[in-house]
Amino acid sequence: MSNNDVVKTLIQSKVSLAPMAGITDFVLRSLVRKYSPNCLLTTEMISSEYLAQTLNGRSGVEILKRDENHSPISYQISGHKPYMMKQAAEFLTQYADMIDINMGCPVKKVVGGQDGAALMRTPELAADLVRAVKDGTDKPVSVKFRLGYTADEMNYVEFGQAMQDAGANFITIHARTRAQMYSGQADWSKIKVLKENVDIPVFANGDITSIEDAIKCLELSGADGVAIGRGALGDPTLIGRIVHFIKTGERIPIPPLEDRIEMLKTHLYEEIKLRGENVGIKFMRKFYPYYLSGFEHAKQLRSKLVLEENLEQINNILSQTTFFQVH
Ligand SMILES: Cc1cc2nc3c(=O)[nH]c(=O)nc-3n(C[C@H](O)[C@H](O)[C@H](O)COP(=O)(O)O)c2cc1C
């Protein structure tokens, strides 16, 4: 089977979990998988330099961890040195169904090092990276990028074509420029031009937080599917609900607060299992605003939770959420 055919099977659900550093770890991926048996999962970005220098061929570390049922799963790498990207791809081939290259991260530290969205300004280097990664793996290779670096440099159509010509098998595009970071609205309609000018599948990304958003984005962009990032936070069922709607036209409702609290607890306990109690409790703090919102006293509960270091106390606070909802 050609890699283009392999991609078709990997993306058949038409929905993927977008990579998010410090967020889409083993635990969140497992939670999303629980409610979506066949969506494409993506790891957090893994630096090729880190893989080469720090990890040095060691397996078993948290960032690489996966379960049997995580397939289809894409491992995302970042970097700008072709030989290191090739090495990273060689190493990750044992874990990944697809290798994704980060060409969209807008963070200063990343673009300052010529990685992420900076590659949109150096399309020849970006194409070299695709070729190097292809050399390192027999798995499909995908790229994730933005509309361009600034509003005056919206080169995403030519850029996508260049990546395809270099051998990329799949594209995810976040419909913002680097300069926008995460501000404003993702412009899904822009993706249509890219879709019309490449032959490889394109997933649209940015600001999809509901079934309605996903359908509207698919209509406006003409894309083959959607990638969901922040929308999956606080609701690990969203991706599964979108997949189900696309397949059947049936709308599974948003989980009620009681269910979200149970998901939060699973998330917390699994992070503790993965990282130990102290680190796991602290790691979870960034997720509370997403799980605990939209009900009376949510803010007070969250401000108590983020200071709490004791698991028993956290459980006590969480049991009060149901109290607040009922009374
Ligand atoms: C906290 C955070 C971390 C992210 N890390 C990555 C990353 O490692 N690699 C990447 O390509 N994009 C990363 N992104 C961008 C997302 O994949 C996605 O493109 C962006 O959030 C827009 O989609 P959304 O509105 O569905 O979240 C990150 C976004 C956030 C909010």
Side-chain angles (χ1 to χ4, degrees), residues 285-300:
R285 289 176 178 165
K286 59 184 133 183
F287 294 101
Y288 293 137
Y290 297 99
Y291 282 107
L292 303 171
S293 64
F295 62 96
E296 217 190 333
H297 301 298
K299 202 169 162 195
Q300 288 98 307

Side-chain angles (χ1 to χ4, degrees), residues 95-108:
Y95 299 95
D97 298 308
M98 178 145 65
I99 309 269
D100 187 49
I101 308 176
N102 183 326
M103 300 185 178
C105 182
V107 175
K108 215 171 178 178

Side-chain angles (χ1 to χ4, degrees), residues 233-299:
L233 301 181
D235 179 10
T237 73
L238 175 65
I239 289 182
R241 292 190 295 107
I242 295 173
V243 173
H244 187 77
F245 183 82
I246 292 174
K247 200 167 153 199
T248 66
E250 279 167 24
R251 218 171 276 270
I252 301 171
I254 298 171
L257 180 65
E258 299 93 294
D259 293 1
R260 278 192 284 138
I261 304 285
E262 286 311 308
M263 291 169 202
L264 186 167
K265 283 184 181 167
T266 306
H267 198 157
L268 170 66
Y269 301 155
E270 291 299 318
E271 292 293 358
I272 287 174
K273 236 192 251 171
L274 185 69
R275 302 171 191 278
E277 189 161 325
N278 279 341
V279 179
I281 285 174
K282 292 195 175 97
F283 184 84
M284 270 309 282
R285 289 176 178 165
K286 59 184 133 183
F287 294 101
Y288 293 137
Y290 297 99
Y291 282 107
L292 303 171
S293 64
F295 62 96
E296 217 190 333
H297 301 298
K299 202 169 162 195

Side-chain angles (χ1 to χ4, degrees), residues 91-123:
F91 178 70
L92 291 174
T93 296
Q94 61 187 308
Y95 299 95
D97 298 308
M98 178 145 65
I99 309 269
D100 187 49
I101 308 176
N102 183 326
M103 300 185 178
C105 182
V107 175
K108 215 171 178 178
K109 204 174 82 189
V110 173
V111 293
Q114 257 194 289
D115 296 355
L119 290 166
M120 293 200 76
R121 280 181 159 170
T122 53

Side-chain angles (χ1 to χ4, degrees), residues 11-288:
I11 61 165
Q12 60 185 312
S13 71
K14 295 183 180 294
V15 190
S16 69
L17 172 67
M20 288 183 285
I23 307 270
T24 55
D25 68 345
F26 172 77
V27 174
L28 187 73
R29 296 197 300 272
S30 302
L31 260 177
V32 169
R33 176 59 83 229
K34 187 171 168 188
Y35 301 98
S36 176
N38 64 347
C39 75
L40 175 67
L41 297 176
T42 314
T43 65
E44 313 168 61
M45 156 175 93
I46 307 170
S47 147
S48 55
E49 304 215 359
Y50 166 77
L51 273 180
Q53 289 162 1
T54 313
L55 224 48
N56 209 9
R58 267 190 308 136
S59 47
V61 293
E62 183 274 313
I63 200 158
L64 301 173
K65 198 173 169 191
R66 56 160 291 172
D67 256 354
E68 201 54 24
N69 76 353
H70 281 197
S71 272
I73 182 167
S74 181
Y75 274 62
Q76 189 190 61
I77 51 177
S78 63
H80 64 276
K81 293 186 181 141
Y83 73 95
M84 270 194 187
M85 295 292 270
K86 180 182 170 187
Q87 268 178 16
E90 279 167 355
F91 178 70
L92 291 174
T93 296
Q94 61 187 308
Y95 299 95
D97 298 308
M98 178 145 65
I99 309 269
D100 187 49
I101 308 176
N102 183 326
M103 300 185 178
C105 182
V107 175
K108 215 171 178 178
K109 204 174 82 189
V110 173
V111 293
Q114 257 194 289
D115 296 355
L119 290 166
M120 293 200 76
R121 280 181 159 170
T122 53
E124 278 164 27
L125 173 58
D128 282 346
L129 297 181
V130 170
R131 283 187 281 267
V133 172
K134 297 281 295 181
D135 271 355
T137 185
D138 55 354
K139 301 286 166 74
V141 172
S142 59
V143 284
K144 179 164 178 281
F145 55 87
R146 289 185 171 227
L147 295 176
Y149 205 85
T150 63
D152 297 329
E153 298 165 278
M154 287 214 202
N155 60 341
Y156 63 104
V157 178
E158 307 85 298
F159 190 82
Q161 287 171 327
M163 297 309 107
Q164 173 178 278
D165 293 345
N169 304 106
F170 172 56
I171 290 169
T172 303
I173 178 162
H174 178 186
R176 282 189 176 85
T177 61
R178 186 268 161 178
Q180 281 180 294
M181 304 293 283
Y182 293 92
S183 67
Q185 274 292 115
D187 186 350
W188 302 323
S189 63
K190 289 227 160 39
I191 295 171
K192 201 166 193 124
V193 198
L194 173 67
K195 174 64 197 153
E196 285 165 359
N197 282 283
V198 292
D199 302 318
I200 54 177
V202 175
F203 269 23
N205 169 243
D207 299 345
I208 300 166
T209 59
S210 65
I211 294 174
E212 291 68 30
D213 287 345
I215 300 308
K216 191 167 175 206
C217 174
L218 285 171
E219 273 168 21
L220 288 175
S221 66
D224 299 278
V226 287
I228 313 283
R230 292 164 294 176
L233 301 181
D235 179 10
T237 73
L238 175 65
I239 289 182
R241 292 190 295 107
I242 295 173
V243 173
H244 187 77
F245 183 82
I246 292 174
K247 200 167 153 199
T248 66
E250 279 167 24
R251 218 171 276 270
I252 301 171
I254 298 171
L257 180 65
E258 299 93 294
D259 293 1
R260 278 192 284 138
I261 304 285
E262 286 311 308
M263 291 169 202
L264 186 167
K265 283 184 181 167
T266 306
H267 198 157
L268 170 66
Y269 301 155
E270 291 299 318
E271 292 293 358
I272 287 174
K273 236 192 251 171
L274 185 69
R275 302 171 191 278
E277 189 161 325
N278 279 341
V279 179
I281 285 174
K282 292 195 175 97
F283 184 84
M284 270 309 282
R285 289 176 178 165
K286 59 184 133 183
F287 294 101
Y288 293 137

